Coordinates of all heavy atoms in Angstrom, one line a residue:
E232 N 15.0 -25.6 5.1 CA 15.1 -24.6 6.2 C 13.8 -23.9 6.5 O 13.6 -23.2 7.5 CB 16.1 -23.5 5.8 CG 17.5 -24.0 5.6 CD 18.5 -23.0 5.1 OE1 18.1 -21.8 4.9 OE2 19.7 -23.3 5.0
N233 N 12.8 -24.1 5.6 CA 11.5 -23.4 5.8 C 10.4 -24.3 5.6 O 9.5 -24.2 4.6 CB 11.4 -22.2 4.8 CG 12.6 -21.2 4.9 OD1 12.5 -20.4 5.8 ND2 13.5 -21.3 4.1
P234 N 10.2 -25.4 6.4 CA 9.1 -26.3 6.3 C 7.8 -25.6 6.5 O 7.6 -24.7 7.3 CB 9.4 -27.3 7.4 CG 10.2 -26.6 8.4 CD 11.1 -25.7 7.6
G235 N 6.8 -26.0 5.7 CA 5.5 -25.4 5.8 C 5.3 -24.1 5.1 O 4.2 -23.4 5.2
Y236 N 6.3 -23.6 4.3 CA 6.1 -22.4 3.5 C 5.5 -22.7 2.2 O 5.5 -23.8 1.6 CB 7.5 -21.8 3.3 CG 8.0 -20.9 4.4 CD1 8.1 -21.4 5.7 CD2 8.3 -19.6 4.2 CE1 8.5 -20.6 6.7 CE2 8.8 -18.8 5.2 CZ 8.9 -19.3 6.5 OH 9.3 -18.5 7.5
D237 N 4.8 -21.6 1.6 CA 4.4 -21.6 0.2 C 5.3 -20.8 -0.6 O 6.1 -20.1 -0.1 CB 3.0 -21.0 0.1 CG 1.9 -21.7 0.8 OD1 2.1 -22.9 1.0 OD2 0.9 -21.1 1.3
V238 N 5.2 -21.0 -1.9 CA 6.1 -20.2 -2.9 C 5.1 -19.3 -3.7 O 4.1 -19.8 -4.1 CB 6.9 -21.1 -3.8 CG1 7.5 -20.3 -4.9 CG2 7.9 -21.9 -3.0
V239 N 5.5 -18.1 -3.8 CA 4.8 -17.1 -4.6 C 5.7 -16.5 -5.6 O 6.9 -16.3 -5.4 CB 4.2 -16.0 -3.7 CG1 3.2 -15.1 -4.5 CG2 3.5 -16.6 -2.5
I240 N 5.2 -16.3 -6.8 CA 6.0 -15.7 -7.9 C 5.7 -14.3 -8.1 O 4.5 -13.8 -8.1 CB 5.7 -16.5 -9.2 CG1 6.0 -17.9 -9.1 CG2 6.4 -15.8 -10.4 CD1 7.5 -18.2 -8.7
S241 N 6.7 -13.5 -8.3 CA 6.5 -12.1 -8.7 C 7.5 -11.7 -9.8 O 8.7 -12.0 -9.6 CB 6.8 -11.1 -7.5 OG 6.7 -9.8 -7.9
P242 N 7.0 -11.2 -10.9 CA 8.0 -10.9 -12.0 C 8.7 -9.6 -11.8 O 8.3 -8.7 -11.0 CB 7.0 -10.7 -13.2 CG 5.8 -10.3 -12.6 CD 5.7 -10.9 -11.3
K243 N 9.9 -9.5 -12.4 CA 10.6 -8.2 -12.4 C 10.9 -7.7 -11.0 O 10.7 -6.5 -10.7 CB 9.9 -7.1 -13.2 CG 9.7 -7.5 -14.7 CD 9.0 -6.4 -15.4 CE 8.8 -6.8 -16.9 NZ 8.1 -5.7 -17.6
F244 N 11.3 -8.6 -10.1 CA 11.5 -8.3 -8.7 C 13.0 -8.4 -8.4 O 13.6 -9.5 -8.6 CB 10.7 -9.2 -7.8 CG 10.8 -8.9 -6.3 CD1 9.9 -8.0 -5.8 CD2 11.9 -9.3 -5.6 CE1 10.0 -7.8 -4.4 CE2 12.0 -9.1 -4.3 CZ 11.0 -8.3 -3.7
D245 N 13.7 -7.4 -8.0 CA 15.1 -7.4 -7.8 C 15.5 -7.3 -6.4 O 15.1 -6.3 -5.7 CB 15.8 -6.3 -8.6 CG 15.6 -6.5 -10.1 OD1 15.6 -7.6 -10.5 OD2 15.5 -5.5 -10.8
A246 N 16.2 -8.2 -5.8 CA 16.6 -8.2 -4.4 C 17.7 -9.2 -4.2 O 17.8 -10.2 -4.9 CB 15.5 -8.4 -3.5
K247 N 18.6 -8.9 -3.3 CA 19.6 -10.0 -2.9 C 18.8 -11.1 -2.1 O 17.9 -10.8 -1.4 CB 20.7 -9.3 -2.0 CG 21.8 -10.3 -1.7 CD 22.8 -9.7 -0.7 CE 23.5 -8.5 -1.4 NZ 24.6 -8.0 -0.5
I248 N 19.4 -12.3 -2.2 CA 18.8 -13.4 -1.4 C 18.8 -13.1 0.1 O 19.8 -12.6 0.6 CB 19.5 -14.7 -1.7 CG1 19.0 -15.2 -3.1 CG2 19.3 -15.7 -0.7 CD1 19.5 -16.5 -3.4
N249 N 17.7 -13.4 0.7 CA 17.6 -13.4 2.2 C 17.7 -14.8 2.7 O 16.7 -15.5 2.5 CB 16.3 -12.7 2.6 CG 16.1 -12.6 4.1 OD1 17.0 -13.0 4.8 ND2 15.0 -12.2 4.5
G250 N 18.8 -15.2 3.3 CA 18.8 -16.5 3.9 C 19.6 -17.5 3.1 O 19.9 -18.6 3.5
I251 N 19.9 -17.2 1.8 CA 20.8 -18.0 1.0 C 21.9 -17.2 0.4 O 21.9 -16.7 -0.7 CB 20.0 -18.7 -0.2 CG1 18.8 -19.4 0.4 CG2 20.9 -19.7 -0.9 CD1 17.9 -20.1 -0.7
P252 N 23.0 -17.0 1.2 CA 24.1 -16.1 0.8 C 24.8 -16.6 -0.4 O 24.9 -17.9 -0.6 CB 25.0 -16.1 2.0 CG 24.7 -17.3 2.8 CD 23.2 -17.6 2.5
G253 N 25.3 -15.7 -1.2 CA 26.1 -16.1 -2.4 C 25.4 -16.3 -3.7 O 26.0 -16.6 -4.7
I254 N 24.1 -16.2 -3.7 CA 23.3 -16.4 -4.9 C 22.5 -15.1 -5.1 O 21.8 -14.7 -4.2 CB 22.3 -17.6 -4.8 CG1 23.1 -18.8 -4.5 CG2 21.6 -17.8 -6.2 CD1 22.2 -20.0 -4.2
Y255 N 22.6 -14.5 -6.2 CA 22.1 -13.1 -6.4 C 21.1 -13.1 -7.6 O 21.0 -14.0 -8.4 CB 23.2 -12.1 -6.6 CG 24.1 -12.0 -5.4 CD1 25.2 -12.8 -5.3 CD2 23.8 -11.2 -4.4 CE1 26.0 -12.8 -4.2 CE2 24.6 -11.1 -3.3 CZ 25.7 -11.9 -3.2 OH 26.5 -11.9 -2.1
V256 N 20.4 -12.0 -7.7 CA 19.4 -11.9 -8.7 C 20.0 -11.8 -10.1 O 21.0 -11.2 -10.3 CB 18.6 -10.5 -8.5 CG1 17.7 -10.2 -9.7 CG2 17.9 -10.5 -7.2
T257 N 19.4 -12.5 -11.0 CA 19.7 -12.4 -12.4 C 18.4 -12.0 -13.2 O 17.5 -11.5 -12.6 CB 20.4 -13.7 -13.0 OG1 19.4 -14.7 -12.9 CG2 21.6 -14.0 -12.2
E258 N 18.4 -12.4 -14.5 CA 17.2 -12.0 -15.2 C 16.1 -13.0 -15.0 O 15.0 -12.8 -15.5 CB 17.6 -12.1 -16.7 CG 17.9 -13.4 -17.3 CD 19.4 -13.9 -17.0 OE1 20.1 -13.1 -16.3 OE2 19.7 -15.0 -17.4
V259 N 16.3 -14.1 -14.2 CA 15.2 -15.1 -14.1 C 14.2 -14.7 -13.0 O 14.5 -13.7 -12.3 CB 15.8 -16.5 -13.7 CG1 16.7 -16.9 -14.9 CG2 16.6 -16.4 -12.4
V260 N 13.2 -15.4 -12.9 CA 12.1 -15.1 -12.0 C 12.6 -15.2 -10.5 O 13.5 -15.9 -10.2 CB 10.9 -16.1 -12.2 CG1 11.2 -17.4 -11.6 CG2 9.6 -15.5 -11.6
T261 N 12.0 -14.5 -9.7 CA 12.3 -14.5 -8.2 C 11.4 -15.5 -7.5 O 10.2 -15.5 -7.7 CB 12.2 -13.1 -7.6 OG1 13.1 -12.3 -8.3 CG2 12.5 -13.1 -6.2
I262 N 12.0 -16.2 -6.6 CA 11.2 -17.1 -5.7 C 10.9 -16.3 -4.4 O 11.7 -15.7 -3.9 CB 12.0 -18.4 -5.3 CG1 12.4 -19.1 -6.6 CG2 11.1 -19.3 -4.5 CD1 11.3 -19.6 -7.4
K263 N 9.6 -16.4 -4.0 CA 9.2 -15.8 -2.7 C 8.7 -16.8 -1.8 O 7.9 -17.7 -2.1 CB 8.1 -14.8 -3.0 CG 8.4 -13.8 -4.0 CD 9.0 -12.6 -3.4 CE 9.3 -11.6 -4.5 NZ 8.6 -10.5 -4.4
A264 N 9.2 -16.8 -0.5 CA 8.7 -17.7 0.5 C 7.7 -17.0 1.4 O 8.0 -15.9 1.8 CB 9.9 -18.3 1.3
R265 N 6.6 -17.6 1.7 CA 5.6 -16.9 2.5 C 5.0 -17.9 3.4 O 4.7 -19.1 3.1 CB 4.4 -16.4 1.5 CG 3.3 -15.7 2.3 CD 2.2 -15.3 1.3 NE 1.5 -16.4 0.7 CZ 0.5 -17.0 1.3 NH1 0.0 -16.6 2.4 NH2 -0.1 -18.1 0.7
L266 N 4.8 -17.6 4.7 CA 4.2 -18.5 5.6 C 2.8 -18.9 5.2 O 1.9 -18.0 4.9 CB 4.1 -17.8 7.0 CG 5.4 -17.8 7.8 CD1 5.2 -16.9 9.1 CD2 5.8 -19.2 8.2
G267 N 2.5 -20.2 5.1 CA 1.2 -20.6 4.6 C 0.0 -20.2 5.5 O -1.1 -20.0 5.0
K268 N 0.2 -19.9 6.7 CA -0.9 -19.5 7.6 C -1.3 -18.1 7.4 O -2.4 -17.6 7.9 CB -0.5 -19.7 9.0 CG 0.6 -18.8 9.6 CD 0.9 -19.1 11.0 CE 2.0 -18.2 11.6 NZ 2.3 -18.5 13.0

Side-chain angles (χ1 to χ4, degrees):
E232 296 176 359
N233 301 282
Y236 275 55
D237 294 333
V238 170
V239 189
I240 298 301
S241 178
K243 298 181 181 179
F244 183 95
D245 294 326
K247 184 185 293 187
I248 281 189
N249 176 8
I251 307 181
I254 306 172
Y255 297 91
V256 173
T257 61
E258 68 280 1
V259 300
V260 75
T261 297
I262 304 294
K263 305 271 180 111
R265 179 182 68 86
L266 280 173
K268 66 181 182 180

